[in-house]
Amino acid sequence: MPSYTLIAPAKINLYLEIIGDRPDGFHELAMILQSIDLADQIDVRAASTDSIRVYCEHPQVPTDKSNLAYRAAELMVAKFPDAFSKYGGVEITIKKRIPVAAGLAGGSANAAAVLVGIDLLWKLGLTQSELEELGATLGSDVPFCVAGGTVIATGRGEQLSPLPNLDTIYIVLGKYRSLEVSTAWAYKTYRQQFGNTYIRDTKDLAARANAVHSGAIVKAILKKDAVDIAQKLHNDLERVVLPAYPQVLQLREVFAKQAGVLGTMMSGSGPTVFALVESHQQAEAVKLRVRDEIPDEDLELFVTRTITHGIQLTVNS
Ligand code: ATP
């Protein structure tokens, strides 16, 4: 049976600003998303049955219809019924390396990989923008995960403007295994606490979202200046997540005081905290020193780096 193996990278948010409420009930956001080389591996295989099957050994990842990868396959079946009857069912195997419910878009990356994998399996020849459009119906981060790189994301996070590729920046990531932050909870709590600061007028909302294009962090990215980028990191959701999760705040403080760390921030709705670091050697040293200061085995630490791509094909058989 034909099969494709895809690499599905995680993302971090270099910037996340909550601007206001959209008429569709979502938040209007201005974000800078960055792919990193911490990635899941997704195998997409033609099955001899006419069903969708998801396999994943990670205890926190469901294998039923609530898996975003499953929903991506279901979407392809609904959109391309002729291809489905011609080629039959699909088996999806997820090798999870991206921490789950971590603010790293792990589920979205898996869904993006399934869209790309089924496109190949069924020889549909979809363009990147067609894949992104399909992805947007599954979740706001899915379109970004298809192409990856460094991107300004506005609207719900699905309107993408690519930025030039960054030179490699090394990163140390920390995530407590047993700590999960619900994205829905983080946004709801932010609305309760800071909704009074939201921009209300639709025109002003769009103007504010556009302003990110000429903002300080985008200028730093255009200059490829890692020190400046690190100083301009921003995440509005820290205002609700850090007070509610003291461990996350402590981890952020421990990262911030390490030599070689250029800047540190929580990613997305957390609880992952990342630090941008001067060099690979420094990143390995920071990881060891943080481990010494927080000897809790529940804390997972990774050294990773920025990359310039999203979903990538590795094996084609
Ligand atoms: P985002 O940054 O987009 O908010 P996240 O990294 O915070 O994403 P995910 O890892 O995507 O969150 O997981 C969120 C929830 O979705 C988990 O509780 C998990 O049970 C469920 N889930 C469904 N499908 C997947 C998948 N393929 N991989 C990981 N989690 C999944």
Side-chain angles (χ1 to χ4, degrees), residues 11 60-62 66-68 94 96 99-108 110 141 180 183:
K11 62 89 183 153
Q60 284 160 283
V61 177
S66 65
N67 192 305
L68 209 50
I94 302 171
K96 244 312 143 199
V100 175
L104 297 172
S108 303
N110 295 174
D141 283 340
E180 293 192 5
T183 304

Side-chain angles (χ1 to χ4, degrees), residues 12-15 169-174 217 226-235 238 242 247-258 260-268 271-278 286 290 301:
I12 55 170
N13 296 75
L14 298 176
Y15 187 87
I169 303 176
Y170 286 93
I171 296 166
V172 185
L173 278 182
I217 188 162
V227 175
D228 201 16
I229 294 169
Q231 281 162 8
K232 309 274 165 25
L233 298 171
H234 177 82
N235 184 348
E238 284 199 337
L242 297 186
Q247 275 176 300
V248 181
L249 176 62
Q250 185 214 11
L251 177 59
R252 194 187 185 296
E253 286 170 352
V254 170
F255 269 137
K257 68 179 189 194
Q258 303 301 322
V261 167
L262 304 171
T264 179
M265 189 62 43
M266 187 181 80
S267 182
T272 300
V273 176
F274 68 87
L276 304 186
V277 187
E278 269 167 16
V286 167
V290 172
L301 291 163

Side-chain angles (χ1 to χ4, degrees), residues 20-37:
D21 278 320
R22 295 159 51 89
D24 61 10
F26 285 90
H27 275 100
E28 180 74 32
L29 302 173
M31 302 190 287
I32 315 257
L33 304 172
Q34 172 64 55
S35 303
I36 58 174
D37 83 342

